[in-house]
Amino acid sequence: MSTHGTDPQLSERMQGANTREQVLATVGIISAHAENVHIEATRHGRHDLELDINRILAAARDLTNRVERLIDADTLATWSMGGLHPAAQHALRHELRTPLNAIKGYGEMLQEDLADQRGTPLQAAVDHLVSAANDLLVLFDRLVALSVRKSRPGATGEEAPTTVASDKPQGSLRDRDTSSAAVQSGTILIVDDNEANRDLLSRRLTRDGYRVSMAVGGQAALDALADADFDLVLLDLMMPDINGLEVLQRMKADVRLRMVPVIMITASAEMHSAIHCIEAGAEDYLPKPFDPVLLRARIGACLEKKRWRDREQDYLRRLEAHTKDLQESLKQQTATSELLKVIGRSIFDLQSVFELLVEYCVKLCESEHAFILRFDGRVLRLVAHHDVLPDMKGYVERNPIPPGRGSGAGRAVLERRTIHIADIRNDPEYTYYGTLAVPLRTVLSVPMLRGDEVLGVIAINRYEVRPFTASQIALMETFADQAVIAIENVRLFEEVQARTQELGRSVAELKALGEVSQAVNSTIDLKTVLATIVAKAVQLSDTEAGTIYVLHEESGEFELRSTYGMDEALIAGFKGKPIRIGDKTVVDQATVQRVAVQIADLQHDDASRVHNAILRAGFRALLTIPLLGVDRIVGALVVRRRRPGEFPKDTVELLQTFAAQSVLAIQNARLFHEIEQKSRELEIASQHKSQFVANMSHELRTPLAAMLGYAELLQEGIYGAPPEKFMPILTRMRSNGKHLLGLINTVLDISKIEAGQFKLNIGEYALGSIVETVMVATESLAATKKLAFKTEVAKGLPYGLGDEQRVTQVLLNLVGNAIKFTDAGEVRITAGAANGHFKLSVSDTGPGIPAEECERIFEKFRQVDSSNTRAKGGTGLGLAIAREIVEMHGGRIWVESTLGQGSTFRMELPVRAPVAAGAA
Ligand code: ADP
């Protein structure tokens, strides 16, 4: 650089020298004030300020040294040239400023500390110190500006921002400082390689209520940011290791740190770089030395912004979470409803429901795999799985899980609640997989509960430690519920199915039993009954052949009575080798032990000769049911099946019912047979009796008639006039004889009726004369009882066809009864004809007949009141004979009566009795 000067060069040199002198002088003043502050502080006994004052003294010494070195060196010419050498410029921009900033900064701190000491020499000394420091800063700025103009002639003053701090009036600072009592919140990281800067900033900010951390360089700052959260970073631009811009760029590239606001700390000369930083994402900048007001304002604004941003972030996060929740629950709902649809469809297929479930579990719960295990009351067994590692699957299949604390699923069964283990490696009780290396970490097991009963467990797992969210757990619980519903559905369906089948079977059985009962009840033919029973038994027991044996008690041999599904040869073979009590055949065993005996497979049985024949006929299994009476063996029912195997319990029970029916049928048949036999014998006996009675009556009648005839002859004096006193005796003899004859006739009639030998003598008769005859015969009886006797016979009655004598007998009986039972009043006979019928009635004013007796008195030997009738006499046979006679004529007879008023016996006879009706 040329040192040959012109006039303007001279003036500049002069100015340079002047400036140098000014700088040296100001530095000297600063040192002096610093000394003075020290002395005054000591004098005031303010040892608390000693540390800061020492720092000021050290900085003043540093400043003096640097200035002297700068001026002593070859820079002298440069100084005098006005335009600064780059080294000098750097010194002015940085090196000299550092101690000067410290002096100013600590000075200002002292000012604040001494705010209440206004007017003291100490306070004045501090004021002087700060103002001298400000002066020097102004000088430095001026010098830098000057040299910049020199080196870059076109440049404007854009790069000469005056130090904001130094422009501020000092007084107002203090006022604001003291008034700012609000406690700030926030954690601030100060990054500066200069200790004094760090110290000053941190003290100021701590005093303002912030939490402060410090980092000495770029790397340290990044480390601190990685370790803890900060609300704000104050970042020095110029640092030896990683400069501020780079730290800023790295922060902005890091998602986690991007949002942390950064305020750049810059020397006033670094404005250009500061703008760079703001472009790179810094929030703001703070020029050194720090103006406390600006510092506070910028930090406050920045933190406020950060708080808003945080709030916004938080809101966004919450919104996002909410949206995610919504999406998740939508997904879950969709899955749930799809699942329900499948459950509804797959009543027949539980497995496909389980498989869908495990798939959904993995999809919706972000799990690595899912299991469904069914609990059989003892252990849990794997029934469905999704994405399970083959090793684990094999292990679970080989090792069913018992209830217990050793596994998530076992624990879920034990405690009947959802088990969530965040990390099984931290759970000493979890031992299920033993030595098998499994990547399992987080485990969730949900029991499938029906009431208190555990049906199974649904489990999902993760290979990392990441607990499931509440909504995932809730979803799993829903899935477990749905699994239970599916299981229940299937169970109910199967139950209904089983019931329906059972019902179907019962209906078939009932029908068969009905048919059998019907056969038993209606068919006297035992052969048909047994054939029905054996056929139904074979059909319902799902067998192919059957036999009913009946024990012949005398011979002790089981007689083959009925077969079904057996060919002639086999039957013949059976008949050729009879079974006996005590021969140890199944029939013998079953009947003697009174239990059903079955052979599930004849091939593996100690085959008897009979079994061989059955085997040859193609049968493999047989079931023998004993037929048992109360106190004896009736026989046995045997069914045979081509398929080997046990007979189900219900088949055995069903056949036992059939066996009981068979016993009934056989016994019924026996009884019926006996009864038939007896009645045949009885009938013969009765015929003999009737014949005897008929004969006897007939035989009795002949001598009686002779006796009556002789008595009449005696009375009529054929053998000479009898003495007068014999007469009434003869009369009584005759009447008793007649009565006896009447009785014999009645007995004779009845026995004829019973013997089927009662015959009518059909001929023409006049009803009027019959009435006349009866009246003549009974008139005297009525008269002796003082009863009025009336007859009303219609005129012009036709001649009737019938047995005159028998009709007379009927009418005589009715009139006789009327007179016999009536004590006062009248007896009336009426006779008429209408519609081809004679209508006759005999009424009396006697005691009447109770309604319930009106029909019964027409039965043999029936009398209303035997005691009363005994008084009146009678056999109770008259009306029975009368009805027989009337009915033989094709007519009818009945009585109408009111108790206490009398009775009317009525009779209708066809005028012309049908000739066939018993005509001889
Ligand atoms: P009986 O020889 O006893 O008269 P009947 O067969 O003629 O036998 O009559 C049966 C019974 O009917 C009588 O015993 C009597 O109790 C009742 N009976 C018949 N006719 C009359 C009547 N007119 N009034 C009251 N009871 C009568």
Side-chain angles (χ1 to χ4, degrees), residues 813-814 817-822 844 846-849 857-859 862-865 868-869 873-880 903 905:
N813 193 322
L814 295 182
N817 277 348
I819 297 169
K820 182 163 72 176
F821 291 109
T822 306
D844 61 52
I849 302 162
I857 52 173
F858 290 95
E859 291 168 15
R862 191 78 195 188
Q863 297 173 322
V864 171
D865 174 0
N868 174 42
T869 317
T875 56
L877 288 174
L879 288 177
S903 316
F905 283 81

PDB file of all heavy atoms in Angstrom, residues 813-814 817-822 844 846-849 857-859 862-865 868-869 873-880 903 905, ligand 1:
ATOM      1  N   ASN A 813    -149.416-107.524  33.118  1.00  0.00           N
ATOM      2  CA  ASN A 813    -148.315-107.206  34.023  1.00  0.00           C
ATOM      3  C   ASN A 813    -148.338-105.722  34.409  1.00  0.00           C
ATOM      4  O   ASN A 813    -148.215-105.358  35.578  1.00  0.00           O
ATOM      5  CB  ASN A 813    -146.990-107.531  33.315  1.00  0.00           C
ATOM      6  CG  ASN A 813    -145.820-107.537  34.281  1.00  0.00           C
ATOM      7  OD1 ASN A 813    -145.791-106.708  35.189  1.00  0.00           O
ATOM      8  ND2 ASN A 813    -144.874-108.437  34.102  1.00  0.00           N
ATOM      9  N   LEU A 814    -148.543-104.848  33.392  1.00  0.00           N
ATOM     10  CA  LEU A 814    -148.533-103.412  33.659  1.00  0.00           C
ATOM     11  C   LEU A 814    -149.683-103.036  34.595  1.00  0.00           C
ATOM     12  O   LEU A 814    -149.485-102.306  35.569  1.00  0.00           O
ATOM     13  CB  LEU A 814    -148.655-102.615  32.350  1.00  0.00           C
ATOM     14  CG  LEU A 814    -147.487-102.747  31.351  1.00  0.00           C
ATOM     15  CD1 LEU A 814    -147.747-101.861  30.135  1.00  0.00           C
ATOM     16  CD2 LEU A 814    -146.160-102.369  32.006  1.00  0.00           C
ATOM     17  N   ASN A 817    -149.068-104.364  38.130  1.00  0.00           N
ATOM     18  CA  ASN A 817    -148.133-103.508  38.866  1.00  0.00           C
ATOM     19  C   ASN A 817    -148.828-102.248  39.351  1.00  0.00           C
ATOM     20  O   ASN A 817    -148.656-101.828  40.496  1.00  0.00           O
ATOM     21  CB  ASN A 817    -146.957-103.099  37.969  1.00  0.00           C
ATOM     22  CG  ASN A 817    -145.872-104.189  37.919  1.00  0.00           C
ATOM     23  OD1 ASN A 817    -145.916-105.129  38.726  1.00  0.00           O
ATOM     24  ND2 ASN A 817    -144.947-104.074  36.989  1.00  0.00           N
ATOM     25  N   ALA A 818    -149.650-101.639  38.426  1.00  0.00           N
ATOM     26  CA  ALA A 818    -150.294-100.365  38.761  1.00  0.00           C
ATOM     27  C   ALA A 818    -151.184-100.558  39.982  1.00  0.00           C
ATOM     28  O   ALA A 818    -151.135 -99.766  40.923  1.00  0.00           O
ATOM     29  CB  ALA A 818    -151.104 -99.857  37.581  1.00  0.00           C
ATOM     30  N   ILE A 819    -151.949-101.624  39.946  1.00  0.00           N
ATOM     31  CA  ILE A 819    -152.841-101.861  41.082  1.00  0.00           C
ATOM     32  C   ILE A 819    -152.014-102.202  42.324  1.00  0.00           C
ATOM     33  O   ILE A 819    -152.267-101.695  43.413  1.00  0.00           O
ATOM     34  CB  ILE A 819    -153.848-102.993  40.758  1.00  0.00           C
ATOM     35  CG1 ILE A 819    -154.746-102.556  39.589  1.00  0.00           C
ATOM     36  CG2 ILE A 819    -154.667-103.380  41.983  1.00  0.00           C
ATOM     37  CD1 ILE A 819    -155.596-103.669  38.991  1.00  0.00           C
ATOM     38  N   LYS A 820    -150.955-103.015  42.099  1.00  0.00           N
ATOM     39  CA  LYS A 820    -150.139-103.475  43.243  1.00  0.00           C
ATOM     40  C   LYS A 820    -149.492-102.294  43.969  1.00  0.00           C
ATOM     41  O   LYS A 820    -149.469-102.227  45.186  1.00  0.00           O
ATOM     42  CB  LYS A 820    -149.047-104.409  42.709  1.00  0.00           C
ATOM     43  CG  LYS A 820    -148.160-104.997  43.778  1.00  0.00           C
ATOM     44  CD  LYS A 820    -147.380-106.204  43.274  1.00  0.00           C
ATOM     45  CE  LYS A 820    -146.284-105.815  42.303  1.00  0.00           C
ATOM     46  NZ  LYS A 820    -145.459-106.961  41.884  1.00  0.00           N
ATOM     47  N   PHE A 821    -148.952-101.318  43.198  1.00  0.00           N
ATOM     48  CA  PHE A 821    -148.176-100.233  43.841  1.00  0.00           C
ATOM     49  C   PHE A 821    -149.013 -99.017  44.208  1.00  0.00           C
ATOM     50  O   PHE A 821    -148.522 -98.110  44.841  1.00  0.00           O
ATOM     51  CB  PHE A 821    -147.022 -99.801  42.923  1.00  0.00           C
ATOM     52  CG  PHE A 821    -145.962-100.869  42.790  1.00  0.00           C
ATOM     53  CD1 PHE A 821    -145.790-101.588  41.624  1.00  0.00           C
ATOM     54  CD2 PHE A 821    -145.173-101.184  43.909  1.00  0.00           C
ATOM     55  CE1 PHE A 821    -144.843-102.581  41.518  1.00  0.00           C
ATOM     56  CE2 PHE A 821    -144.212-102.179  43.795  1.00  0.00           C
ATOM     57  CZ  PHE A 821    -144.036-102.896  42.611  1.00  0.00           C
ATOM     58  N   THR A 822    -150.304 -98.992  43.733  1.00  0.00           N
ATOM     59  CA  THR A 822    -151.130 -97.813  44.021  1.00  0.00           C
ATOM     60  C   THR A 822    -152.047 -98.098  45.201  1.00  0.00           C
ATOM     61  O   THR A 822    -152.710 -99.134  45.230  1.00  0.00           O
ATOM     62  CB  THR A 822    -151.966 -97.433  42.786  1.00  0.00           C
ATOM     63  OG1 THR A 822    -151.071 -97.280  41.686  1.00  0.00           O
ATOM     64  CG2 THR A 822    -152.695 -96.109  43.007  1.00  0.00           C
ATOM     65  N   ASP A 844    -151.270 -94.771  36.705  1.00  0.00           N
ATOM     66  CA  ASP A 844    -151.771 -94.938  38.062  1.00  0.00           C
ATOM     67  C   ASP A 844    -151.471 -93.687  38.858  1.00  0.00           C
ATOM     68  O   ASP A 844    -150.810 -92.768  38.380  1.00  0.00           O
ATOM     69  CB  ASP A 844    -151.124 -96.174  38.712  1.00  0.00           C
ATOM     70  CG  ASP A 844    -149.636 -96.067  38.826  1.00  0.00           C
ATOM     71  OD1 ASP A 844    -149.128 -95.039  39.377  1.00  0.00           O
ATOM     72  OD2 ASP A 844    -148.903 -96.998  38.351  1.00  0.00           O
ATOM     73  N   GLY A 846    -150.000 -93.941  41.822  1.00  0.00           N
ATOM     74  CA  GLY A 846    -149.151 -94.549  42.853  1.00  0.00           C
ATOM     75  C   GLY A 846    -147.962 -93.677  43.236  1.00  0.00           C
ATOM     76  O   GLY A 846    -147.974 -92.478  42.985  1.00  0.00           O
ATOM     77  N   PRO A 847    -146.953 -94.305  43.817  1.00  0.00           N
ATOM     78  CA  PRO A 847    -145.818 -93.552  44.369  1.00  0.00           C
ATOM     79  C   PRO A 847    -144.883 -92.947  43.301  1.00  0.00           C
ATOM     80  O   PRO A 847    -144.130 -92.042  43.586  1.00  0.00           O
ATOM     81  CB  PRO A 847    -145.044 -94.628  45.157  1.00  0.00           C
ATOM     82  CG  PRO A 847    -145.396 -95.914  44.492  1.00  0.00           C
ATOM     83  CD  PRO A 847    -146.805 -95.773  44.000  1.00  0.00           C
ATOM     84  N   GLY A 848    -145.024 -93.438  42.092  1.00  0.00           N
ATOM     85  CA  GLY A 848    -144.113 -92.933  41.045  1.00  0.00           C
ATOM     86  C   GLY A 848    -142.754 -93.623  41.126  1.00  0.00           C
ATOM     87  O   GLY A 848    -142.439 -94.308  42.091  1.00  0.00           O
ATOM     88  N   ILE A 849    -141.944 -93.392  40.098  1.00  0.00           N
ATOM     89  CA  ILE A 849    -140.626 -94.048  40.009  1.00  0.00           C
ATOM     90  C   ILE A 849    -139.559 -92.971  39.838  1.00  0.00           C
ATOM     91  O   ILE A 849    -139.721 -92.078  39.002  1.00  0.00           O
ATOM     92  CB  ILE A 849    -140.593 -95.016  38.808  1.00  0.00           C
ATOM     93  CG1 ILE A 849    -141.708 -96.073  38.963  1.00  0.00           C
ATOM     94  CG2 ILE A 849    -139.227 -95.690  38.647  1.00  0.00           C
ATOM     95  CD1 ILE A 849    -142.047 -96.786  37.690  1.00  0.00           C
ATOM     96  N   ILE A 857    -135.657-100.383  35.616  1.00  0.00           N
ATOM     97  CA  ILE A 857    -136.676-101.350  36.054  1.00  0.00           C
ATOM     98  C   ILE A 857    -137.012-102.367  34.973  1.00  0.00           C
ATOM     99  O   ILE A 857    -137.629-103.386  35.240  1.00  0.00           O
ATOM    100  CB  ILE A 857    -137.974-100.651  36.532  1.00  0.00           C
ATOM    101  CG1 ILE A 857    -138.447 -99.669  35.448  1.00  0.00           C
ATOM    102  CG2 ILE A 857    -137.773 -99.951  37.877  1.00  0.00           C
ATOM    103  CD1 ILE A 857    -139.803 -99.057  35.765  1.00  0.00           C
ATOM    104  N   PHE A 858    -136.540-102.067  33.733  1.00  0.00           N
ATOM    105  CA  PHE A 858    -136.795-103.019  32.654  1.00  0.00           C
ATOM    106  C   PHE A 858    -135.732-104.111  32.598  1.00  0.00           C
ATOM    107  O   PHE A 858    -135.772-104.981  31.767  1.00  0.00           O
ATOM    108  CB  PHE A 858    -136.882-102.295  31.307  1.00  0.00           C
ATOM    109  CG  PHE A 858    -138.123-101.449  31.189  1.00  0.00           C
ATOM    110  CD1 PHE A 858    -138.104-100.103  31.488  1.00  0.00           C
ATOM    111  CD2 PHE A 858    -139.344-102.042  30.804  1.00  0.00           C
ATOM    112  CE1 PHE A 858    -139.253 -99.345  31.399  1.00  0.00           C
ATOM    113  CE2 PHE A 858    -140.493-101.264  30.707  1.00  0.00           C
ATOM    114  CZ  PHE A 858    -140.462 -99.903  31.013  1.00  0.00           C
ATOM    115  N   GLU A 859    -134.716-103.985  33.529  1.00  0.00           N
ATOM    116  CA  GLU A 859    -133.711-105.040  33.582  1.00  0.00           C
ATOM    117  C   GLU A 859    -134.215-106.180  34.447  1.00  0.00           C
ATOM    118  O   GLU A 859    -135.079-105.987  35.289  1.00  0.00           O
ATOM    119  CB  GLU A 859    -132.400-104.491  34.180  1.00  0.00           C
ATOM    120  CG  GLU A 859    -131.702-103.500  33.261  1.00  0.00           C
ATOM    121  CD  GLU A 859    -130.574-102.760  33.980  1.00  0.00           C
ATOM    122  OE1 GLU A 859    -130.156-103.212  35.061  1.00  0.00           O
ATOM    123  OE2 GLU A 859    -130.144-101.725  33.439  1.00  0.00           O
ATOM    124  N   ARG A 862    -134.780-106.371  38.591  1.00  0.00           N
ATOM    125  CA  ARG A 862    -134.583-105.012  39.061  1.00  0.00           C
ATOM    126  C   ARG A 862    -135.844-104.510  39.722  1.00  0.00           C
ATOM    127  O   ARG A 862    -136.929-104.527  39.148  1.00  0.00           O
ATOM    128  CB  ARG A 862    -134.230-104.114  37.857  1.00  0.00           C
ATOM    129  CG  ARG A 862    -133.759-102.747  38.270  1.00  0.00           C
ATOM    130  CD  ARG A 862    -132.323-102.829  38.725  1.00  0.00           C
ATOM    131  NE  ARG A 862    -131.965-101.627  39.440  1.00  0.00           N
ATOM    132  CZ  ARG A 862    -130.745-101.343  39.832  1.00  0.00           C
ATOM    133  NH1 ARG A 862    -129.754-102.181  39.569  1.00  0.00           N
ATOM    134  NH2 ARG A 862    -130.496-100.246  40.489  1.00  0.00           N
ATOM    135  N   GLN A 863    -135.688-104.023  40.954  1.00  0.00           N
ATOM    136  CA  GLN A 863    -136.814-103.429  41.668  1.00  0.00           C
ATOM    137  C   GLN A 863    -136.345-102.122  42.268  1.00  0.00           C
ATOM    138  O   GLN A 863    -135.206-102.012  42.700  1.00  0.00           O
ATOM    139  CB  GLN A 863    -137.299-104.380  42.786  1.00  0.00           C
ATOM    140  CG  GLN A 863    -137.825-105.678  42.195  1.00  0.00           C
ATOM    141  CD  GLN A 863    -138.167-106.712  43.237  1.00  0.00           C
ATOM    142  OE1 GLN A 863    -137.480-106.841  44.233  1.00  0.00           O
ATOM    143  NE2 GLN A 863    -139.230-107.461  42.991  1.00  0.00           N
ATOM    144  N   VAL A 864    -137.274-101.101  42.272  1.00  0.00           N
ATOM    145  CA  VAL A 864    -136.859 -99.777  42.739  1.00  0.00           C
ATOM    146  C   VAL A 864    -136.437 -99.835  44.190  1.00  0.00           C
ATOM    147  O   VAL A 864    -135.384 -99.407  44.576  1.00  0.00           O
ATOM    148  CB  VAL A 864    -137.985 -98.746  42.550  1.00  0.00           C
ATOM    149  CG1 VAL A 864    -137.630 -97.435  43.227  1.00  0.00           C
ATOM    150  CG2 VAL A 864    -138.257 -98.525  41.064  1.00  0.00           C
ATOM    151  N   ASP A 865    -137.245-100.381  44.992  1.00  0.00           N
ATOM    152  CA  ASP A 865    -136.941-100.426  46.418  1.00  0.00           C
ATOM    153  C   ASP A 865    -137.276-101.824  46.870  1.00  0.00           C
ATOM    154  O   ASP A 865    -138.446-102.185  47.023  1.00  0.00           O
ATOM    155  CB  ASP A 865    -137.805 -99.382  47.134  1.00  0.00           C
ATOM    156  CG  ASP A 865    -137.636 -99.481  48.642  1.00  0.00           C
ATOM    157  OD1 ASP A 865    -136.848-100.359  49.089  1.00  0.00           O
ATOM    158  OD2 ASP A 865    -138.263 -98.702  49.353  1.00  0.00           O
ATOM    159  N   ASN A 868    -139.657-102.173  49.867  1.00  0.00           N
ATOM    160  CA  ASN A 868    -141.029-101.838  49.560  1.00  0.00           C
ATOM    161  C   ASN A 868    -141.666-102.926  48.722  1.00  0.00           C
ATOM    162  O   ASN A 868    -142.775-103.367  48.987  1.00  0.00           O
ATOM    163  CB  ASN A 868    -141.039-100.494  48.817  1.00  0.00           C
ATOM    164  CG  ASN A 868    -142.433-100.137  48.321  1.00  0.00           C
ATOM    165  OD1 ASN A 868    -143.411-100.329  49.034  1.00  0.00           O
ATOM    166  ND2 ASN A 868    -142.507 -99.643  47.106  1.00  0.00           N
ATOM    167  N   THR A 869    -140.910-103.374  47.716  1.00  0.00           N
ATOM    168  CA  THR A 869    -141.448-104.357  46.798  1.00  0.00           C
ATOM    169  C   THR A 869    -141.689-105.683  47.501  1.00  0.00           C
ATOM    170  O   THR A 869    -142.628-106.424  47.186  1.00  0.00           O
ATOM    171  CB  THR A 869    -140.495-104.560  45.627  1.00  0.00           C
ATOM    172  OG1 THR A 869    -140.038-103.291  45.212  1.00  0.00           O
ATOM    173  CG2 THR A 869    -141.204-105.228  44.466  1.00  0.00           C
ATOM    174  N   GLY A 873    -144.582-107.764  47.043  1.00  0.00           N
ATOM    175  CA  GLY A 873    -144.361-109.013  46.321  1.00  0.00           C
ATOM    176  C   GLY A 873    -143.835-108.755  44.926  1.00  0.00           C
ATOM    177  O   GLY A 873    -143.876-107.644  44.430  1.00  0.00           O
ATOM    178  N   GLY A 874    -143.349-109.816  44.319  1.00  0.00           N
ATOM    179  CA  GLY A 874    -142.841-109.670  42.949  1.00  0.00           C
ATOM    180  C   GLY A 874    -141.450-110.242  42.809  1.00  0.00           C
ATOM    181  O   GLY A 874    -140.732-110.427  43.778  1.00  0.00           O
ATOM    182  N   THR A 875    -141.072-110.503  41.519  1.00  0.00           N
ATOM    183  CA  THR A 875    -139.783-111.119  41.236  1.00  0.00           C
ATOM    184  C   THR A 875    -138.814-110.164  40.559  1.00  0.00           C
ATOM    185  O   THR A 875    -137.631-110.454  40.435  1.00  0.00           O
ATOM    186  CB  THR A 875    -139.964-112.309  40.287  1.00  0.00           C
ATOM    187  OG1 THR A 875    -140.642-111.830  39.115  1.00  0.00           O
ATOM    188  CG2 THR A 875    -140.755-113.403  40.944  1.00  0.00           C
ATOM    189  N   GLY A 876    -139.349-109.063  40.083  1.00  0.00           N
ATOM    190  CA  GLY A 876    -138.478-108.142  39.340  1.00  0.00           C
ATOM    191  C   GLY A 876    -138.218-108.654  37.945  1.00  0.00           C
ATOM    192  O   GLY A 876    -137.309-108.171  37.269  1.00  0.00           O
ATOM    193  N   LEU A 877    -139.009-109.574  37.461  1.00  0.00           N
ATOM    194  CA  LEU A 877    -138.774-110.131  36.120  1.00  0.00           C
ATOM    195  C   LEU A 877    -139.832-109.666  35.125  1.00  0.00           C
ATOM    196  O   LEU A 877    -139.604-109.661  33.928  1.00  0.00           O
ATOM    197  CB  LEU A 877    -138.786-111.661  36.180  1.00  0.00           C
ATOM    198  CG  LEU A 877    -137.575-112.309  36.858  1.00  0.00           C
ATOM    199  CD1 LEU A 877    -137.811-113.811  36.982  1.00  0.00           C
ATOM    200  CD2 LEU A 877    -136.318-112.024  36.058  1.00  0.00           C
ATOM    201  N   GLY A 878    -140.973-109.224  35.634  1.00  0.00           N
ATOM    202  CA  GLY A 878    -142.123-108.912  34.775  1.00  0.00           C
ATOM    203  C   GLY A 878    -141.805-107.928  33.667  1.00  0.00           C
ATOM    204  O   GLY A 878    -142.071-108.188  32.481  1.00  0.00           O
ATOM    205  N   LEU A 879    -141.229-106.784  34.021  1.00  0.00           N
ATOM    206  CA  LEU A 879    -140.973-105.753  33.023  1.00  0.00           C
ATOM    207  C   LEU A 879    -139.916-106.214  32.015  1.00  0.00           C
ATOM    208  O   LEU A 879    -139.972-105.846  30.851  1.00  0.00           O
ATOM    209  CB  LEU A 879    -140.539-104.441  33.685  1.00  0.00           C
ATOM    210  CG  LEU A 879    -141.668-103.690  34.435  1.00  0.00           C
ATOM    211  CD1 LEU A 879    -141.096-102.434  35.105  1.00  0.00           C
ATOM    212  CD2 LEU A 879    -142.787-103.296  33.476  1.00  0.00           C
ATOM    213  N   ALA A 880    -138.947-107.016  32.476  1.00  0.00           N
ATOM    214  CA  ALA A 880    -137.915-107.522  31.561  1.00  0.00           C
ATOM    215  C   ALA A 880    -138.556-108.391  30.492  1.00  0.00           C
ATOM    216  O   ALA A 880    -138.243-108.268  29.302  1.00  0.00           O
ATOM    217  CB  ALA A 880    -136.857-108.303  32.350  1.00  0.00           C
ATOM    218  N   SER A 903    -147.391 -93.065  37.852  1.00  0.00           N
ATOM    219  CA  SER A 903    -146.581 -93.472  36.709  1.00  0.00           C
ATOM    220  C   SER A 903    -147.500 -93.779  35.539  1.00  0.00           C
ATOM    221  O   SER A 903    -148.662 -94.166  35.706  1.00  0.00           O
ATOM    222  CB  SER A 903    -145.800 -94.745  37.025  1.00  0.00           C
ATOM    223  OG  SER A 903    -145.226 -94.660  38.309  1.00  0.00           O
ATOM    224  N   PHE A 905    -147.042 -96.106  32.156  1.00  0.00           N
ATOM    225  CA  PHE A 905    -146.284 -96.993  31.284  1.00  0.00           C
ATOM    226  C   PHE A 905    -146.885 -96.915  29.901  1.00  0.00           C
ATOM    227  O   PHE A 905    -148.080 -96.987  29.744  1.00  0.00           O
ATOM    228  CB  PHE A 905    -146.332 -98.439  31.804  1.00  0.00           C
ATOM    229  CG  PHE A 905    -145.426 -98.672  32.979  1.00  0.00           C
ATOM    230  CD1 PHE A 905    -145.829 -98.300  34.260  1.00  0.00           C
ATOM    231  CD2 PHE A 905    -144.180 -99.237  32.804  1.00  0.00           C
ATOM    232  CE1 PHE A 905    -144.980 -98.510  35.340  1.00  0.00           C
ATOM    233  CE2 PHE A 905    -143.336 -99.442  33.870  1.00  0.00           C
ATOM    234  CZ  PHE A 905    -143.720 -99.079  35.155  1.00  0.00           C
TER     235      PHE A 905
HETATM  236  P1  ADP B   1    -142.175-107.001  40.124  1.00  0.00           P
HETATM  237  O1  ADP B   1    -142.480-108.451  39.995  1.00  0.00           O
HETATM  238  O2  ADP B   1    -141.227-106.689  41.234  1.00  0.00           O
HETATM  239  O3  ADP B   1    -143.334-106.133  40.013  1.00  0.00           O
HETATM  240  P2  ADP B   1    -141.589-105.847  37.590  1.00  0.00           P
HETATM  241  O4  ADP B   1    -140.521-106.095  36.580  1.00  0.00           O
HETATM  242  O5  ADP B   1    -142.976-105.969  37.101  1.00  0.00           O
HETATM  243  O6  ADP B   1    -141.298-106.753  38.807  1.00  0.00           O
HETATM  244  O7  ADP B   1    -141.365-104.416  38.147  1.00  0.00           O
HETATM  245  C1  ADP B   1    -140.130-104.005  38.548  1.00  0.00           C
HETATM  246  C2  ADP B   1    -140.229-102.920  39.555  1.00  0.00           C
HETATM  247  O8  ADP B   1    -140.680-101.723  38.909  1.00  0.00           O
HETATM  248  C3  ADP B   1    -141.149-103.106  40.672  1.00  0.00           C
HETATM  249  O9  ADP B   1    -140.569-103.919  41.682  1.00  0.00           O
HETATM  250  C4  ADP B   1    -141.416-101.725  41.123  1.00  0.00           C
HETATM  251  O10 ADP B   1    -140.386-101.321  41.969  1.00  0.00           O
HETATM  252  C5  ADP B   1    -141.381-100.932  39.852  1.00  0.00           C
HETATM  253  N1  ADP B   1    -142.717-100.688  39.319  1.00  0.00           N
HETATM  254  C6  ADP B   1    -143.318-101.331  38.332  1.00  0.00           C
HETATM  255  N2  ADP B   1    -144.525-100.812  38.061  1.00  0.00           N
HETATM  256  C7  ADP B   1    -144.680 -99.769  38.944  1.00  0.00           C
HETATM  257  C8  ADP B   1    -145.738 -98.848  39.179  1.00  0.00           C
HETATM  258  N3  ADP B   1    -146.901 -98.833  38.445  1.00  0.00           N
HETATM  259  N4  ADP B   1    -145.611 -97.948  40.157  1.00  0.00           N
HETATM  260  C9  ADP B   1    -144.439 -97.935  40.893  1.00  0.00           C
HETATM  261  N5  ADP B   1    -143.390 -98.761  40.707  1.00  0.00           N
HETATM  262  C10 ADP B   1    -143.535 -99.692  39.742  1.00  0.00           C
END
